[in-house]
Every structure is written in C-alpha cells, then in structure tokens.
Amino acid sequence: MLALIDSNNFYVSAERVFQPELQGKAGCVLSNNDGCAISRSNEAKENLGIKMGTPYFEMRELQQSGALWWRSSNYTLYQDMMRRITAIVRRTFPDQEIYSIDECFCDLQGFKYHDLQQLAIDLRAKILQYTGVPVCIGIGATKTLAKVANKLAKKQHKETGVYVMDTPEQVEAALKLTEIDEVWGIGPRYAIKLIRKGVYNAYDFIRLPEDFVLELMTIQGRRTYRELHGQRCIPMEYDPPDKEGISTARSFGVMETELAPMEEALATYVANAALKLRAQQSVCSRLFVFCHTSRFAVTENLYSAGLDVKIDVPTNDTGTLIKVAIGALRKIYIKGPRYQKVGIELRDLRAASQVQASLFEPVDDEKTAKLQKALKVIDQLNQNYGKDTIRYAAMGFERKWFMKQEFRSRRFSTRIDEVIVVHAR
Amino acid sequence: MKELLIYERAPQQGTLIPLFAEKIHAGFESPAADYEEARIDLNDYVSKYPEATFFARVTGECMVGSGIFPDDLLVVDKSLTPAPGDIVVGVLDNEFILRAYYRKGSQEYLMPDNPYYKPIVRNESTQFQIWGVVPHSILDQRRRNSARINRFEQLLR
C-alpha cells in the first residue's frame, strides 16, 4: 500500500501557526509579486468564493473591509515547515518520496501487519501537534488510488482526516464518489471527452474496456486506468533526479527600463542557480539569459530576447557565471521597452568530478581547489546567517527590482530576530 | 546579539566535525587525533525533537519568579505535552502568552510566577490553548548587569 500525506491549504496553515489572529478567519496567500490568490483558507473558499488565481484587485475591497486577510508568499517559512513535516513523517514511514512542497508519498510495504488506519490517525495527530499544520492522509494500492483516498479524507472524513482504501468494496465506493475530472492524471480536455461518452466518475472509467481507453487517451490514459485498477505503474522516486537545467526567473515588482537594476536582479538569480548547482555537485557549460516585456501590455513596445552562451571551462563558480550572464544581458538589452522579467538558465549540467579529471587538471589545480573551498565557506555562511549575507557586488544593495512582497510575514522559524513574541502578562 | 547566535538551529546537513584542526608536520601524527570528538551542540541539549522545536522572544514580566525576563529567548518544544508546573506558551485572545500550566482536580490554570499578576482559569469565557512547552529559557546575563549592580550598591550601603 501507498500513503499520500498532503497538507491542507498549506501556505495558509503555515501562516496561521505563528499568527493566531488569522485562525478561523477567511484569508489567502498571494503569489509572487502579490498577483493573485494561491492558497486559500476554507472560509475564503466557502464563504467568499475566492478561487485559485483570483486576482489581487478583485479581493482588495474584501481585504480593506476586514472580511479577508492576506499575506505575501513567505517561501522561507513554508520550506522550513515542509522540512519539519516530511522529517516527522519519515520517522513513522521511512520510505518517502517528497512529491511537492505540501505532498509526500510513502511506501508502506513494511507495514503489512499493522493497523494502517490507526498508524495514519496517530501520525496525523502528531504532525498537527508538533508543527501546527493540519494534514490529510490517503492510503491505497497505487499512487493514483492514494490520491483518490486523500481527496476523500479531505472531503468526507474531516474529523479523522484519514481514509484507507483496503477492501475492494471500499475502492469501489471511493471511485464512485470521485468525479472523472478529479482523477489524478486526467486533464480537463480528456475529462470533457469522457463525460461526453457517459463516463462521469472514476468507477465508470475503470469499467471501460482497456483497449478503448488506450485508443481514446493513449498510453498515459492507460497508465491511469491500470493504476485505478490497483496495478502500480507510477514508481516511487526516492532520490529526485539531478536537474538537467537550473533556471531562475522572476517578474520585477515594477516594470524596469534601466540596465543597471536588471543586471543586479540577474546577478542575484545567477547566485541562486549556482548555489543549487553546487548543492548537486554539478558544473554547467552553457548559460541562457533572457529578458522580455509584459505579454499583456499590448499597447506597449513588445520585446523579447534571449542568448545562449557557451562557457569555455565548465564551472559552478558564481563569479564566473555572473560575468558571463551580465555580458550576455548587455548584448540583448535595448533601451526603450519596459521589461517585466529577466532570467537565467544554466544548461548542459554534468557532475563536477567528471570535469575535474578531464578538464580542470591541466588548468591551475591549486587555484580551482582554493576557489571551491572559498565557495564552500560562502555557502555555509549564507546558510547559517541568512541568504545573501555574503554576496557579489554585482547583486547590488538597493534591490528596487526586488519582488513585491508587501504583506510578507516574518520568517518565524529560521531567523532568530524574527521569532514569535510571547506576552508574559 | 552576538552571544545568542550559538542557539540558532544547526544547518540541516548536521554538525561539522573537525577532522584535522591543525596541520601536522610530516612524520608525527597527533597522538590525540583518534580521540577527536564533535563539539558540544546546545541544540541537542535544549531540544529532544528538532522538528517540533521553535524559538520565541519574551515581553512582559509575569514569569520573573521563574527567572524569565523581558527580551529573553525561549525554546518552545511542541512535541511535549504539558505537565502541571511546566512553563508553556499558550494562545489566548489571539495572542501568545507565557504562563505556567497547572491543573487541580478538573480545573486548569495558566499561572503567573509573579505576585503582581493574576491566574487565568479555563472556563467558558476564557478558552486558552497550549501552543508548546518551554523546556529551557535563555537569559542574556550581561543585560542584567545594571540590575545586579543596583543590588550590590544596596548591599554595600
């Protein structure tokens, strides 16, 4: 059996742990640059009809009248809370795949003779007490069935927050309660096709002949079909595969026309990407830089450009990469357009050890070793004392271009000067 | 505050263990090299369950009897269940409050440890929750210097 552990309204829940005044009130967390709602409390969904992606300006009145609270996304906080939750889960179910920031799958192979229902109920209570974040747990024979069970846990079993699909009767009942467009792996396009053919729920779907599914929905659809029949087709992925390319790009808080702030933003993205590169012990040999204006500003001067640059000696050194990236940006930048975004992608990644043997050796070995040592120290300092404590001058200090995050809460769990305040009164 | 930085959570990769702290002249290995151990990590001492451990800052004086002063740093462990006498972080009226948990019969209290403050009893109109237990607090001793000096002055008078 497999379990899917999924945090309820994760960003909103994480905010509420440290801000009790948000408890029980309609609220949401906004996307990067405070654009739209990306996580909503149940009250916001049910009472105010706020949807995923409802834009900021449509909610402004509600917020101003006090009917709704909102926060900018505080990814530092969410990432730390996620790490805590997944670590707690691992202590109960060690075979874990972290699927996204708020979901993980666990293989329960070793728990054949355990009472899974009780284990899951205990785990859920533990996570709630230890972190303050409510989760739901669904258990089924495959990843797709665990997803079905999780949805049911959320909708129909709110008190326990747990649903175990053990017997064929339970599976059948659950599939009948799952509408076809809610099935993991069936996109809206196929859902419409299926509904036209009279397939309304997951149970209707599994009663179709397999050949029919294959013809209608190709091999992907058959995979979902088999998974719903209890046959494991989507394997567990324990170690996330090394990334083939690393990209960082973000929209500016306000449109940018000058080169200097764009260079600062770019340098910061390069530093982020290079850190990830070093964390997976890779180097890159190509780098892609791009910038563009807003796609929606139709009345304006539209501009979009990108440049792919080859790096002579594959590297993960922030300094070298910043130099190359800024050089590329200067080639594609033109004065005039109001830029919305600049970004970078590190390409052609390979293991640093591979390169060292073939390419670095004839180069200055000692210098490379020294540089790697320095980078290690910088990464360590930045991890201990906060991101960008040690940074390259090219990354700038003013940061006018920085993401708009007007309503971000404090980083309660990772910064000693931002912890909660307790009143001894 | 410089002195407090040692209490920051250790980085996730674990503790750095010094392998060879000194460069050794060729030929003579340090006789102590085999005995090198990881330094004491206060995180291990103050929290039994790092994933459930958070920190908090104090304002107010209701717990001075327990040696907790304004601006002190608290270790809050959410994995612990409060036992009578435990110092706890509670939530009351949407605010974090610091008190000692006490239970007598079926009655639950959040007690101050300072005679100038009143106990809080759990009843229908006062519904507090327990957010976490405070197993340790960290007092910045140097900030108490002037208070100490005042006492010394009185003693010498």
Side-chain angles (χ1 to χ4, degrees):
Chain A
M1 296 292 262
L2 292 178
L4 174 65
I5 296 128
D6 179 344
S7 305
N8 307 354
N9 313 329
F10 180 51
Y11 298 171
V12 162
S13 301
E15 295 287 346
R16 281 174 163 172
V17 174
F18 305 94
Q19 299 162 90
E21 70 273 19
L22 307 181
Q23 210 65 253
K25 293 192 186 114
C28 69
V29 169
L30 302 168
S31 61
N32 283 343
N33 283 317
D34 298 339
C36 62
I38 50 168
S39 176
R40 308 148 296 150
S41 76
N42 288 345
E43 300 82 3
K45 291 181 204 172
E46 286 155 21
N47 308 342
L48 302 179
I50 290 180
K51 299 200 168 48
M52 239 11 200
T54 297
Y56 167 92
F57 58 85
E58 276 181 29
M59 302 184 292
R60 195 160 36 198
E61 228 167 272
L62 286 169
Q63 192 266 345
Q64 277 166 356
S65 73
L68 176 83
W69 60 264
W70 62 28
R71 293 285 181 275
S72 304
S73 28
N74 184 347
Y75 285 110
T76 307
L77 180 70
Y78 311 149
Q79 181 69 16
D80 179 60
M81 295 306 279
M82 179 271 252
R83 258 181 7 207
R84 289 169 186 263
I85 294 168
T86 49
I88 294 167
V89 169
R90 256 195 318 275
R91 290 188 187 215
T92 303
F93 299 136
D95 296 327
Q96 177 188 52
E97 170 190 341
I98 297 168
Y99 180 70
S100 71
I101 193 163
D102 58 357
E103 294 167 285
C104 66
F105 285 107
C106 296
D107 194 327
L108 312 184
Q109 253 179 16
F111 295 87
K112 245 179 211 154
Y113 303 105
H114 288 75
D115 179 353
L116 291 180
Q117 174 91 16
Q118 197 53 50
L119 270 180
I121 286 175
D122 293 347
L123 176 60
R124 180 178 182 271
K126 199 169 172 184
I127 295 169
L128 183 61
Q129 188 196 327
Y130 288 19
T131 68
V133 175
V135 302
C136 280
I137 304 181
I139 295 179
T142 65
K143 280 186 173 176
T144 310
L145 285 171
K147 277 263 187 188
V148 168
N150 188 283
K151 277 237 162 82
L152 280 182
K154 248 184 207 145
K155 276 198 302 201
Q156 316 246 326
H157 300 270
K158 282 189 183 150
E159 338 69 59
T160 57
V162 167
Y163 190 72
V164 183
M165 274 177 3
D166 240 344
T167 63
E169 294 76 34
Q170 277 174 321
V171 176
E172 187 181 316
L175 293 181
K176 280 181 177 160
L177 285 168
T178 305
E179 300 196 13
I180 193 68
D181 61 344
E182 289 178 320
V183 175
W184 192 48
I186 296 185
R189 232 161 33 95
Y190 281 122
I192 291 169
K193 273 192 191 176
L194 287 165
I195 288 169
R196 281 208 194 110
K197 304 224 182 279
V199 179
Y200 298 106
N201 59 42
Y203 185 68
D204 297 338
F205 181 66
I206 65 160
R207 294 205 315 170
L208 294 170
E210 187 169 331
D211 291 346
F212 178 82
V213 172
L214 181 63
E215 199 178 314
L216 185 78
M217 305 171 66
T218 73
I219 201 144
Q220 306 284 348
R222 187 174 70 180
R223 194 177 66 169
T224 304
Y225 178 86
R226 288 189 172 172
E227 281 253 316
L228 287 173
H229 273 285
Q231 191 183 337
R232 275 199 206 183
C233 300
I234 308 172
M236 291 285 285
E237 278 177 29
Y238 294 109
D239 291 312
D242 277 350
K243 290 181 182 154
E244 278 164 30
I246 297 175
S247 56
T248 329
R250 229 155 271 150
S251 299
F252 297 120
V254 287
M255 300 295 165
E256 203 55 77
T257 55
E258 297 301 313
L259 181 61
M262 285 172 67
E263 286 183 358
E264 281 182 16
L266 183 68
T268 306
Y269 302 158
V270 173
N272 272 339
L275 177 69
K276 285 183 195 158
L277 195 60
R278 290 194 290 274
Q280 66 175 51
Q281 271 140 32
S282 301
V283 291
C284 74
S285 55
R286 281 190 312 130
L287 177 155
F288 179 70
V289 174
F290 65 90
C291 59
H292 60 73
T293 53
S294 167
R295 252 159 279 179
F296 302 109
V298 278
T299 55
E300 287 185 33
N301 200 349
L302 287 174
Y303 180 70
S304 168
L307 189 64
D308 186 296
V309 193
K310 190 168 177 346
I311 300 163
D312 297 333
V313 183
T315 184
N316 55 22
D317 168 37
T318 310
T320 312
L321 292 170
I322 287 178
K323 217 191 298 173
V324 176
I326 287 181
L329 180 65
R330 285 182 186 166
K331 279 188 187 147
I332 57 176
Y333 168 86
I334 54 168
K335 202 164 166 57
R338 286 155 28 93
Y339 293 94
Q340 186 208 21
K341 199 179 223 178
V342 63
I344 186 206
E345 190 183 326
L346 305 182
R347 293 175 168 177
D348 267 4
L349 309 192
R350 60 191 79 172
S353 53
Q354 261 175 28
V355 178
Q356 237 142 15
S358 61
L359 277 167
F360 277 162
E361 245 161 7
V363 189
D364 192 341
D365 216 14
E366 199 174 326
K367 207 172 147 195
T368 315
K370 261 191 187 157
L371 177 64
Q372 287 300 328
K373 214 169 156 187
L375 288 169
K376 216 175 198 166
V377 172
I378 292 174
D379 291 348
Q380 197 64 47
L381 283 170
N382 284 340
Q383 175 156 29
N384 290 354
Y385 296 100
K387 216 170 164 188
D388 299 342
T389 299
I390 307 262
R391 60 167 173 247
Y392 289 77
M395 291 155 71
F397 290 92
E398 268 198 74
R399 313 200 143 193
K400 281 203 195 118
W401 47 269
F402 203 70
M403 263 209 305
K404 211 158 90 186
Q405 288 188 314
E406 263 183 83
F407 316 101
R408 204 201 65 201
S409 52
R410 302 203 301 276
R411 289 157 293 192
F412 302 102
S413 65
T414 55
R415 298 280 179 120
I416 208 151
D417 49 353
E418 298 186 20
V419 298
I420 59 165
V421 174
V422 180
H423 299 264
R425 59 164 174 77
Chain B
M1 202 82 17
K2 207 175 182 184
E3 297 91 326
L4 291 180
L5 284 176
I6 50 167
Y7 300 112
E8 217 173 312
R9 300 288 318 141
Q12 279 296 303
Q13 298 105 315
T15 315
L16 293 175
I17 298 171
L19 271 180
F20 295 103
E22 304 292 330
K23 277 204 172 170
I24 307 289
H25 288 285
F28 292 100
E29 203 192 329
S30 160
D34 287 347
Y35 298 89
E36 194 152 317
E37 290 183 354
R39 289 207 189 103
I40 293 163
D41 184 353
L42 266 179
N43 281 307
D44 297 338
Y45 178 72
V46 300
S47 75
K48 299 284 167 277
Y49 210 118
E51 289 85 23
T53 301
F54 298 87
F55 295 90
R57 189 70 67 181
V58 181
T59 151
E61 299 188 323
C62 86
M63 291 306 287
V64 291
S66 297
I68 299 178
F69 296 91
D71 286 330
D72 278 0
L73 191 68
L74 305 173
V75 177
V76 190
D77 187 339
K78 282 172 73 70
S79 77
L80 300 170
T81 354
D86 270 343
I87 295 174
V88 295
V89 170
V91 177
L92 181 64
D93 300 333
N94 294 332
E95 208 174 56
F96 289 118
I97 58 169
L98 188 67
R99 289 278 168 136
Y101 177 75
Y102 186 58
R103 196 170 48 211
K104 195 172 189 185
S106 62
Q107 207 55 264
E108 284 183 295
Y109 302 88
L110 290 183
M111 300 296 291
D113 202 352
N114 179 340
Y116 295 104
Y117 292 79
K118 286 200 179 72
I120 297 169
V121 197
R122 194 204 285 275
N123 55 37
E124 258 137 58
S125 60
T126 315
Q127 285 295 334
F128 58 78
Q129 282 126 36
I130 307 289
W131 195 80
V133 173
V134 178
H136 297 273
S137 67
I138 294 154
L139 169 65
D140 184 346
Q141 285 294 357
R142 302 196 74 184
R143 232 179 9 231
R144 306 291 309 158
N145 282 7
S146 57
R148 245 188 312 271
I149 287 167
N150 279 343
R151 289 201 300 276
F152 296 161
E153 295 281 331
Q154 276 185 358
L155 215 68
L156 291 174
R157 212 171 282 151

